[in-house]
Amino acid sequence: MNKENFYNLCFIGGILLTPIGAFFKILHIDYLESLLVLGVILSFFYILLSIVEVVRSNRISNNEKTMWVICLIFLNGITGILYYFMGRKRIKN
């Protein structure tokens, strides 16, 4: 599996598995709370890979790098989606 496929897997898996796992956790269905854990782990890897991509980029200024990193850390849900669909094409080397 190359880096791009892993990146996409982390994004899609985190987006899908986290709410499904939370729903099953609320319903107290046994053994399916592991979906929540897996979704959170995938989301963590996605945010980590995104931060590394932003920091290594030569296409944007340091101010914009700082903005992306802070938003990815503190507002990771919406910023992760915005980065994937809008910012990544412009930032990725």
Side-chain angles (χ1 to χ4, degrees):
M1 176 178 289
N2 64 11
K3 182 182 174 185
E4 189 68 28
N5 288 342
F6 183 68
Y7 188 85
N8 292 332
L9 173 76
C10 288
F11 175 71
I12 293 169
I15 292 292
L16 293 177
L17 292 179
T18 303
I20 292 171
F23 179 70
F24 288 141
K25 182 76 171 167
I26 291 170
L27 292 178
H28 301 290
I29 298 176
D30 293 336
Y31 305 112
L32 290 179
E33 63 267 358
S34 59
L35 291 177
L36 176 64
V37 173
L38 182 61
V40 170
I41 290 170
L42 287 174
S43 295
F44 173 75
F45 280 126
Y46 168 73
I47 296 301
L48 187 65
L49 289 172
S50 298
I51 289 172
V52 169
E53 234 176 42
V54 167
V55 170
R56 289 184 179 172
S57 177
N58 296 329
R59 295 183 174 187
I60 57 175
S61 67
N62 286 337
N63 292 335
E64 191 172 354
K65 286 180 186 182
T66 304
M67 185 240 357
W68 276 113
V69 170
I70 289 173
C71 288
L72 282 166
I73 291 171
F74 293 110
L75 304 169
N76 54 18
I78 189 71
T79 307
I81 293 170
L82 288 174
Y83 178 73
Y84 187 81
F85 288 112
M86 294 171 42
R88 190 164 189 247
K89 292 175 219 152
R90 190 173 54 88
I91 294 171
K92 186 179 173 190
N93 289 335

